[in-house]
């Protein structure tokens, strides 16, 4: 079954940290570059970080130096460590392939207060 389950979101003050996790089904995780996407209130979903099967990473400029994406291939899990959070990081965070090719999970809400 194709499945993506995100967790780890919450409410945090500006400057704080959160670590998101995403458990993916074997099919998705084994063949794809994985990505974290976020949807801020009133905005379109955007890709913020990607990681290849070999561990190469890429980030959107707004999160570079603050977010770190990683993956544990043995656990079919991808992580997003978010440090120095800003109010503009608020949104629902989803994992998927980098291209968003699969059915979206429920996501996990991140709220950063100023």
């Amino acid at each position: 079954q194709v499945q993506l389950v995100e967790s780890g979101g919450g409410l945090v003050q500006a400057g704080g940290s959160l670590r998101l996790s995403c458990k993916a089904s074997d099919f998705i995780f084994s063949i794809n570059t994985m990505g974290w996407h976020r949807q801020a209130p009133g905005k379109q979903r955007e890709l913020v970080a990607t990681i290849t099967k070999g561990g190469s990473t890429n980030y959107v400029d707004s999160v570079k130096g603050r977010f770190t994406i990683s993956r544990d291939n043995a656990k079919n899990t991808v992580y997003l460590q978010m440090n120095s959070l800003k109010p503009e990081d608020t949104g629902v965070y989803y994992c998927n392939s980098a291209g968003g090719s699969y059915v979206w999970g429920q996501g996990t809400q991140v709220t950063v207060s100023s």
Side-chain angles (χ1 to χ4, degrees):
Q1 182 178 1
V2 176
Q3 192 173 20
L4 295 158
V5 180
E6 301 92 349
S7 62
L11 173 64
V12 64
Q13 289 188 332
S17 298
L18 285 172
R19 188 191 194 209
L20 308 183
S21 299
C22 171
K23 176 76 171 177
S25 59
D26 289 348
F27 177 75
I28 296 174
F29 205 81
S30 67
I31 66 172
N32 281 283
T33 293
M34 296 299 295
W36 280 99
H37 309 247
R38 74 181 173 193
Q39 187 162 21
K43 296 186 177 181
Q44 288 191 332
R45 190 176 290 154
E46 67 168 337
L47 178 63
V48 298
T50 61
I51 185 166
T52 67
K53 289 171 60 179
S56 296
T57 60
N58 199 17
Y59 302 91
V60 68
D61 285 348
S62 61
V63 307
K64 281 181 181 177
R66 300 187 298 120
F67 290 11
T68 302
I69 188 171
S70 60
R71 65 192 288 166
D72 185 333
N73 292 332
K75 296 181 179 179
N76 284 9
T77 301
V78 61
Y79 304 97
L80 188 67
Q81 177 67 44
M82 306 187 296
N83 298 328
S84 301
L85 282 161
K86 303 176 180 180
E88 52 263 44
D89 295 318
T90 293
V92 181
Y93 284 69
Y94 303 87
C95 72
N96 207 314
S97 65
S101 303
Y102 302 97
V103 175
W104 296 91
Q106 292 186 328
T108 186
Q109 175 72 46
V110 172
T111 303
V112 184
S113 63
S114 57

